Amino acid sequence: MGIELDCAMTKLTITLLTTVLLFPAFARDKAPAIAPTWSGIIMIKRNPFQPQPKVESPLLVVNDQKGYLELLTRIPAKQISRTRPAPENNDPLRKAPKIDFTKSTLLVAIRPSMTKPVFQAVESDDKMTTVTVAFPRNQPAARPVHIGVYSALLIPKAKPKIHIKLVNH
């Protein structure tokens, strides 16, 4: 009886340890990340050498073709590279995939660093859509001052009022 109990406890311990190691987001009560539809590098609109008139929102909501084309022009044609000539940027969003904006909304989280933002949740009710975006701690990386990173998520048509909830790690 004692050997069977020890064996059962060992199996339970191994199962719990495996769960904690393989699924750390669940073990620490963090919401699992939503895989972005697209992600890559993007040109930042602001010039760091001039005073800024206002703070830009880290969330860009694209509801129409005009906004989509403006977003596509901000994605550089070349990768960030020390080699000359720099290789082509292989970002799949540069190929301008067709998006039906009557049925979908494109959410783009932009960050002026090289650590990508992470979508954690998109919740919608009758009045508004709430988007939870995590900004992991910045990792040191050399980059041009006008380049940042983005994560884009295609969701069903969102309510006109979109609220962003930022989570810093």
Side-chain angles (χ1 to χ4, degrees):
M1 184 75 160
I3 295 174
E4 291 175 7
L5 183 60
D6 286 342
C7 187
M9 289 299 288
T10 304
K11 285 181 182 179
L12 178 65
T13 305
I14 290 172
T15 304
L16 288 174
L17 284 174
T18 305
T19 303
V20 168
L21 292 174
L22 293 179
F23 303 107
F26 298 112
R28 287 185 244 126
D29 293 327
K30 288 184 183 176
I34 299 172
T37 309
W38 298 284
S39 64
I41 58 174
I42 193 165
M43 287 189 271
I44 304 295
K45 282 186 175 181
R46 57 184 175 257
N47 183 345
F49 301 111
Q50 295 177 349
Q52 301 304 314
K54 65 176 186 169
V55 176
E56 186 179 15
S57 171
L59 184 69
L60 175 65
V61 180
V62 181
N63 285 320
D64 57 10
Q65 196 65 28
K66 180 183 174 197
Y68 182 53
L69 292 175
E70 287 175 12
L71 172 67
L72 294 178
T73 60
R74 292 178 63 184
I75 299 174
K78 302 282 186 178
Q79 291 181 14
I80 305 298
S81 174
R82 293 180 127 194
T83 61
R84 298 284 181 232
E88 287 292 317
N89 187 354
N90 56 2
D91 188 336
L93 195 56
R94 284 201 67 240
K95 295 177 182 153
K98 284 293 251 181
I99 297 175
D100 184 3
F101 287 105
T102 60
K103 298 176 184 174
S104 302
T105 298
L106 184 63
L107 303 175
V108 184
I110 299 172
R111 188 170 192 191
S113 71
M114 296 310 284
T115 308
K116 293 180 184 171
V118 178
F119 287 100
Q120 287 190 331
V122 178
E123 299 162 347
S124 194
D125 61 17
D126 295 337
K127 296 180 182 173
M128 70 178 180
T129 301
T130 303
V131 180
T132 305
V133 181
F135 288 101
R137 192 168 66 94
N138 276 332
Q139 300 300 321
R143 66 175 175 87
V145 293
H146 67 288
I147 295 292
V149 291
Y150 77 91
S151 292
L153 183 66
L154 192 62
I155 63 168
K157 192 70 173 173
K159 305 287 185 272
K161 187 174 182 182
I162 297 180
H163 175 73
I164 183 169
K165 185 173 155 186
L166 300 175
V167 178
N168 290 318
H169 289 259

